[in-house]
Amino acid sequence: MSDTKTGDDKTLSVSTKKTLTLKRPGLEQGTVRQNFSHGRTKSVVVETKKRKFSMPGERSEPAVATPAAKPRPQAPAAPQARAPEPRPQPAPQAPQSPERSGMVLNELSADEIEARRRALQDSKVREVEERRRAAEEAQRRAEEEERRRREREESARRQAEEEARLASEAEARRRSEEEARRRAPQVEKDALVEDEEAPRGSAVARRGPAKPEVAAPKPVKVKGEEERRRGKLTLTAALSDDESARGRSLSSMRRRQEKFKRAMHQGEREKISREVVLPETITIQELAGRMSERAVEVVKFFMKQGQMMKPGDVIDADTAELVAEEFGHTVKRVAESDVEEGLFNIEDSAESLKSRPPVVTIMGHVDHGKTSLLDAIRNANVVSGEAGGITQHIGAYQVEKNGQKITFIDTPGHAAFTAMRARGAQSTDIAILVVAADDSVMPQTVESINHAKAAGVPIIVAINKIDKPEANAQKVRTELLQHEVFVESMGGEVLDVEVSATKGTNLDRLLEAILLQAEILELKANPDRTAEGVVVEARLDKGRGSVATVLVQAGTLHTGDIIVAGSEWGRVRALINDRGENLKEAGPATPVEILGMQGTPQAGDKFAVVENEARAREISEYRQRLAREKAVARQAGQRGSLEQMMSQLQTAGAKEFPLVIKGDVQGSIEAIAAALDKLGTEEVRVRIVHSGAGAITESDVSLADTSEAAIIGFNVRANAQARQAAEQAGIEIRYYNIIYNLVDDVKAAMSGLLSPERRETFLGNAEILEVFNITKVGKVAGCRVTEGKVERGAGVRLIRDNVVIHEGTLKTLKRFKDEVAEVPAGQECGMAFTNYEDIRQGDVIECFRVEHVTRTL
């Protein structure tokens, strides 16, 4: 038994047999890094000792440890030597003594040892199997990589072949296109047909539009610099002589071929008949669009008819209808006036009609008492407490009698009545003919009768001024028979009432006659519809804008309605009656003032309510355009061409002297007209615009202003309104009481229209002896006066070989070096012409004076 001590008592081996010392100590060292909190680490050296197993049957003596020997730490053996993982290791087990190890080895049974042996063999088998599988996987990956490499090489080879084939085809096509461009156009058609019949395998046939084929997606090729710039115009290509370097692109040629093929094989399109709406005028372009045709085709149609038209030219509806029918379409004619459809004359059912007040117009001769009678009727029907409520004059009034209303229209005379009737506004139901009992029937009375009969309006005769001593009502009735007005007392059907406007006599009887006549007429209207009516008068008020007095004829007018009156429109902001009261609505036969019009309409214009502002504006613009066209046409007609003016001068005479003549009696007027007619000549004559008996009124002044005539009054005077209007218009009114003075003044005035007579007086002749050319002066003729005298400033003629060469005036006349006023015969002088220098020796200068003599009739 031996003891062995090694080192500093760190290793102690005790054995009684040699076999124990022949084995390796079985110690292996390793380093483990321990991690602590706050990032602190520590490396620890660990020694492991492999456990020794003994086969069953083998004896093993336990190791005997000496008391002085220190136990060696023991750790589980690892299968292979490897670096330990950097994770915290479990605490090392307590060291075992050699006696304990021997006990463990002895305690292993044979089954456990066999199981461990089999496990070791199985692990070796698994390891061999894993190596085999890894080798097979690596071989498979190598084969796959080789296959992919071969595929890439094959694809690149096919792509290179395809690109080479396309490049050769493009080059061949380019050469054929250049050859085709060099040939004649007719040969090009054959080439295009051959391309169309090319085999299906060619590039043109495959890409043609006739039978498109779905081609495989082509591989993308990165073009080089030379191929990328092929076909582009560069400086080198432009300067070189190679014309084939740049040609038309393939797309351009392909589009050209497709267009030619479409033109060759395109069949006739199926015609679709359409309904074409044609206004009064339309452009060719718009007509083609409505027919769905090309404007070029319509222009070609006109060219076939021998007319050169453009798409922007305007044609009338008849021509457009012929064109549309020629192209196989139907036509629907419309007019611009269709915008006014449904605006007026709306038919009402009999059940909706209700009674309405009559509308009465007072007519008659001047100063027979029309306005006085109307004022008397209105004042008689106003309660005394309301007398102060009438604050304005609106030209139309409404009075009440026995619970029934009567509407009166205050017209300035038959002229306004005629204007209303000319505009189609039949606003009057009954006409009251006022005749003065002391003056009987006068010319304007006859005109009023004719106007009333032309309008188909029943007449009521009011014989006024019966309070005067010289009044003779029976004479009035008798004279009315001459004009086919038969009153009841004379066996007729016309009602007549003797009244006095100043005394208020029989005014009630006049109103009863009006109501009786209205009952006979059975006046009715529909109040439950949109309103329409007529404008009585209109004016521009400084504070309220355009104010129109209207008479509602049908329907009911409400505040806020949109109305159209003539060429103006507006929204009703207020309705005011003749007493100055604001109304919310106005029924049939009610006169009201309207505020809110955009412009001032004309008296006699019809108005109607429309649904919205858009239609009101459309109607207003149409009427304004129509009015402008009429005005232009009227001015063109008045202006006319030069040939028309010359023909008018030859036929109608050169000048006219217009006159408005008013006299005291009709006989004087006839005598004046006959005397003035004798003054006329072929060059000037008198034109009597208007003549009549009575005072000069405001209407006469307006007529004279319109016709640019003079006003002559014979034993009559103008009233205040007429004088004021004449001053504003700048018209002179001449008064006469002797017919000869009147004729003499008119004769003198007409003489002023005659062109003055040109009278020429011969002064003398001078002969040119020498022509001098003086610097800064020009040519000067040295002359000798052979006859008469020569005056400076007189007219001169230059005569050469008895032919007048020039006619003008003298610029200078000198005797020696002095300017002289005249040179008598036999003396020499120097003369120069104004703006003329073509003078020669031997020419004759004739001097003369021109005088204008006023002509008289």
Side-chain angles (χ1 to χ4, degrees):
M1 188 173 186
S2 61
D3 295 337
T4 301
K5 185 176 181 181
T6 304
D8 296 333
D9 296 336
K10 290 182 178 180
T11 304
L12 179 64
S13 175
V14 179
S15 177
T16 57
K17 293 184 179 181
K18 294 179 179 180
T19 55
L20 295 176
T21 59
L22 295 176
K23 301 295 184 180
R24 293 179 58 191
L27 296 177
E28 292 184 1
Q29 292 184 355
T31 302
V32 175
R33 182 176 294 276
Q34 293 182 346
N35 297 323
F36 299 96
S37 62
H38 301 289
R40 293 182 292 115
T41 61
K42 182 179 180 181
S43 297
V44 181
V45 177
V46 180
E47 293 182 354
T48 61
K49 182 179 181 180
K50 293 184 179 180
R51 183 179 297 179
K52 183 178 179 182
F53 299 96
S54 61
M55 299 298 293
E58 294 182 356
R59 288 184 64 183
S60 62
E61 295 180 0
V64 179
T66 63
K70 291 183 179 181
R72 187 174 296 168
Q74 185 177 2
Q80 297 176 354
R82 59 184 177 181
E85 296 180 0
R87 63 175 180 268
Q89 297 293 331
Q93 297 179 357
Q96 287 184 340
S97 62
E99 293 83 3
R100 181 65 181 168
S101 302
M103 292 174 63
V104 173
L105 293 174
N106 293 332
E107 288 176 358
L108 291 174
S109 62
D111 295 337
E112 291 178 352
I113 294 173
E114 181 67 20
R116 292 185 178 184
R117 185 181 61 80
R118 287 196 303 268
L120 183 59
Q121 292 176 353
D122 291 342
S123 63
K124 291 181 180 179
V125 172
R126 284 196 299 273
E127 184 178 355
V128 172
E129 183 67 24
E130 288 177 356
R131 289 195 188 103
R132 185 183 61 80
R133 290 179 180 174
E136 292 177 355
E137 181 68 21
Q139 184 179 1
R140 188 182 61 79
R141 290 179 179 174
E143 293 175 354
E144 181 70 21
E145 185 67 25
E146 181 65 21
R147 185 182 60 81
R148 290 179 179 174
R149 184 184 62 79
R150 288 196 301 267
E151 289 181 354
R152 286 196 297 269
E153 291 176 355
E154 182 66 21
S155 176
R157 184 183 60 79
R158 288 197 301 266
Q159 182 175 353
E161 292 177 356
E162 180 69 16
E163 291 174 355
R165 185 183 59 82
L166 293 177
S168 63
E169 289 181 356
E171 183 66 21
R173 190 181 303 107
R174 183 178 61 83
R175 291 178 180 175
S176 63
E177 290 170 356
E178 291 175 357
E179 185 66 23
R181 285 197 298 271
R182 292 192 188 99
R183 292 182 296 178
Q186 57 267 27
V187 180
E188 184 181 0
K189 295 184 179 180
D190 300 335
L192 294 175
V193 173
E194 289 176 4
D195 288 340
E196 186 180 1
E197 296 176 355
R200 188 179 298 273
S202 65
V204 177
R206 184 167 63 253
R207 299 180 187 177
K211 294 183 179 180
E213 296 180 0
V214 180
K218 299 179 181 180
V220 179
K221 175 187 176 183
V222 179
K223 295 184 177 181
E225 181 65 20
E226 183 179 355
E227 292 183 353
R228 184 175 65 82
R229 297 190 61 83
R230 179 185 298 172
K232 296 185 178 180
L233 183 61
T234 60
L235 184 60
T236 306
L239 296 178
S240 64
D241 296 333
D242 187 9
E243 297 181 356
S244 63
R246 176 175 176 85
R248 297 184 62 179
S249 64
L250 298 179
S251 301
S252 175
M253 290 300 300
R254 189 158 53 245
R255 288 193 299 268
R256 182 175 179 180
Q257 291 177 2
E258 292 174 1
K259 182 177 180 182
F260 179 74
K261 291 175 183 178
R262 285 197 302 267
M264 292 293 293
H265 298 88
Q266 186 178 16
E268 290 292 332
R269 290 187 304 169
E270 183 181 357
K271 284 288 186 179
I272 301 176
S273 180
R274 292 177 170 82
E275 185 181 28
V276 181
V277 179
L278 296 180
E280 295 178 357
T281 58
I282 188 173
T283 63
I284 294 179
Q285 183 72 43
E286 187 178 357
L287 175 62
R290 296 188 181 188
M291 295 190 302
S292 297
E293 303 283 351
R294 298 173 58 199
V296 177
E297 301 297 330
V298 183
V299 172
K300 287 181 180 178
F301 172 77
F302 280 105
M303 291 176 65
K304 292 178 182 178
Q305 306 299 323
Q307 300 182 27
M308 298 300 295
M309 306 289 283
K310 299 186 296 296
D313 289 344
V314 179
I315 57 177
D316 57 3
D318 295 334
T319 306
E321 182 176 0
L322 293 176
V323 174
E325 291 177 352
E326 185 68 24
F327 278 85
H329 303 288
T330 58
V331 173
K332 179 182 178 182
R333 297 281 292 269
V334 296
E336 291 185 0
S337 58
D338 292 344
V339 298
E340 296 184 349
E341 285 186 358
L343 194 62
F344 299 107
N345 302 324
I346 302 176
E347 294 293 336
D348 296 318
S349 59
E351 297 80 9
S352 61
L353 298 179
K354 298 179 182 179
S355 298
R356 65 170 178 84
V359 180
V360 180
T361 300
I362 298 180
M363 305 173 67
H365 192 71
V366 180
D367 292 338
H368 276 204
K370 300 189 299 295
T371 305
S372 301
L373 181 61
L374 182 59
D375 292 341
I377 294 174
R378 190 177 72 252
N379 294 330
N381 285 268
V382 174
V383 183
S384 58
E386 296 180 357
I390 303 175
T391 59
Q392 53 188 338
H393 173 82
I394 68 170
Y397 309 92
Q398 200 168 40
V399 300
E400 189 171 345
K401 174 67 176 177
N402 299 332
Q404 298 181 4
K405 294 183 178 180
I406 303 174
T407 301
F408 287 91
I409 296 179
D410 184 12
T411 60
H414 63 274
F417 186 85
T418 306
M420 288 186 181
R421 188 167 58 85
R423 292 186 175 94
Q426 300 288 353
S427 59
T428 303
D429 300 318
I430 301 172
I432 295 181
L433 183 63
V434 179
V435 185
D438 60 339
D439 208 6
S440 191
V441 177
M442 297 298 290
Q444 289 187 4
T445 307
V446 178
E447 293 178 2
S448 302
I449 295 172
N450 295 333
H451 287 304
K453 288 183 177 180
V457 176
I459 298 175
I460 296 178
V461 179
I463 304 176
N464 195 17
K465 300 182 181 181
I466 60 169
D467 56 321
K468 288 191 174 183
E470 61 272 18
N472 188 351
Q474 191 61 32
K475 178 183 178 183
V476 173
R477 298 187 180 95
T478 304
E479 292 186 356
L480 287 176
L481 294 177
Q482 302 176 7
H483 305 285
E484 300 181 356
V485 178
F486 304 104
V487 298
E488 285 185 338
S489 59
M490 305 294 289
E493 297 179 354
V494 177
L495 300 176
D496 66 297
V497 182
E498 297 181 3
V499 297
S500 174
T502 56
K503 304 292 184 181
T505 308
N506 293 335
L507 296 182
D508 293 340
R509 285 185 56 192
L510 180 61
L511 297 179
E512 290 175 358
I514 294 173
L515 294 176
L516 177 61
Q517 188 66 49
E519 185 178 354
I520 296 174
L521 296 175
E522 296 182 356
L523 304 173
K524 294 182 179 181
N526 180 14
D528 303 324
R529 49 158 286 192
T530 57
E532 68 177 70
V534 64
V535 178
V536 177
E537 65 179 22
R539 66 183 186 279
L540 188 62
D541 194 293
K542 183 179 295 185
R544 299 187 297 171
S546 295
V547 181
T549 303
V550 301
L551 175 67
V552 182
Q553 294 176 313
T556 303
L557 183 62
H558 302 84
T559 304
D561 287 346
I562 299 172
I563 66 172
V564 177
S567 59
E568 305 294 339
W569 69 280
R571 185 184 293 273
V572 178
R573 291 193 287 108
L575 295 174
I576 305 173
N577 64 0
D578 56 342
R579 292 177 174 83
E581 302 168 350
N582 287 325
L583 305 178
K584 293 184 178 180
E585 60 181 25
T590 304
V592 288
E593 269 189 350
I594 291 180
L595 303 183
M597 295 295 294
Q598 299 289 333
T600 306
Q602 299 292 326
D605 286 339
K606 297 180 70 176
F607 80 88
V609 175
V610 295
E611 59 272 11
N612 51 42
E613 291 186 5
R615 191 180 181 203
R617 192 177 291 107
E618 184 180 10
I619 296 173
S620 175
E621 290 176 354
Y622 162 70
R623 292 181 173 178
Q624 290 176 2
R625 185 169 61 254
L626 203 63
R628 286 195 300 268
E629 291 175 355
K630 288 182 178 179
V632 171
R634 183 167 57 251
Q635 291 178 1
Q638 292 176 354
R639 193 165 52 244
S641 63
L642 183 61
E643 292 79 4
Q644 293 175 349
M645 294 176 64
M646 294 301 294
S647 62
Q648 290 176 0
L649 289 176
Q650 293 176 359
T651 56
K655 297 179 182 179
E656 291 183 342
F657 191 74
L659 287 177
V660 174
I661 301 175
K662 299 299 290 290
D664 55 348
V665 292
Q666 195 67 26
S668 300
I669 297 172
E670 293 178 358
I672 293 171
L676 295 179
D677 189 39
K678 295 179 181 179
L679 296 177
T681 62
E682 294 181 356
E683 190 175 351
V684 61
R685 63 185 181 86
V686 172
R687 179 171 64 91
I688 299 177
V689 178
H690 174 70
S691 64
I696 300 172
T697 61
E698 190 176 358
S699 61
D700 297 328
V701 177
S702 62
L703 180 60
D705 186 17
T706 303
S707 57
E708 298 181 356
I711 300 178
I712 293 178
F714 187 77
N715 285 334
V716 293
R717 292 293 182 271
N719 54 29
Q721 293 84 358
R723 287 196 300 271
Q724 184 178 1
E727 290 177 1
Q728 293 178 356
I731 297 175
E732 183 183 6
I733 302 177
R734 304 291 293 270
Y735 301 106
Y736 297 94
N737 55 5
I738 301 175
I739 193 170
Y740 303 108
N741 296 338
L742 186 152
V743 173
D744 291 342
D745 285 356
V746 172
K747 183 177 180 181
M750 291 174 63
S751 300
L753 295 178
L754 295 175
S755 57
E757 183 180 355
R758 184 176 185 274
R759 189 172 298 173
E760 182 179 305
T761 305
F762 174 76
L763 295 179
N765 285 335
E767 182 182 358
I768 299 178
L769 303 179
E770 191 68 33
V771 177
F772 304 97
N773 197 351
I774 302 176
T775 307
K776 296 183 182 181
V777 177
K779 290 186 178 182
V780 176
C783 309
R784 180 189 291 114
V785 180
T786 58
E787 181 180 1
K789 63 180 180 177
V790 176
E791 293 181 355
R792 186 175 57 185
V796 290
R797 292 188 183 95
L798 182 63
I799 302 175
R800 185 179 300 161
D801 298 331
N802 296 324
V803 176
V804 178
I805 303 300
H806 172 71
E807 181 174 342
T809 58
L810 285 178
K811 179 171 63 173
T812 177
L813 178 62
K814 289 190 174 183
R815 171 79 173 152
F816 298 106
K817 293 184 179 182
D818 300 328
E819 286 281 348
V820 294
E822 62 179 31
V823 178
Q827 294 185 1
E828 295 181 355
C829 62
M831 289 187 286
F833 291 89
T834 304
N835 300 326
Y836 188 78
E837 293 187 352
D838 185 16
I839 53 179
R840 300 177 185 177
Q841 184 179 356
D843 291 346
V844 176
I845 297 176
E846 178 183 354
C847 186
F848 60 91
R849 184 189 299 117
V850 176
E851 297 176 352
H852 294 279
V853 181
T854 303
R855 299 168 57 196
T856 58
L857 293 175

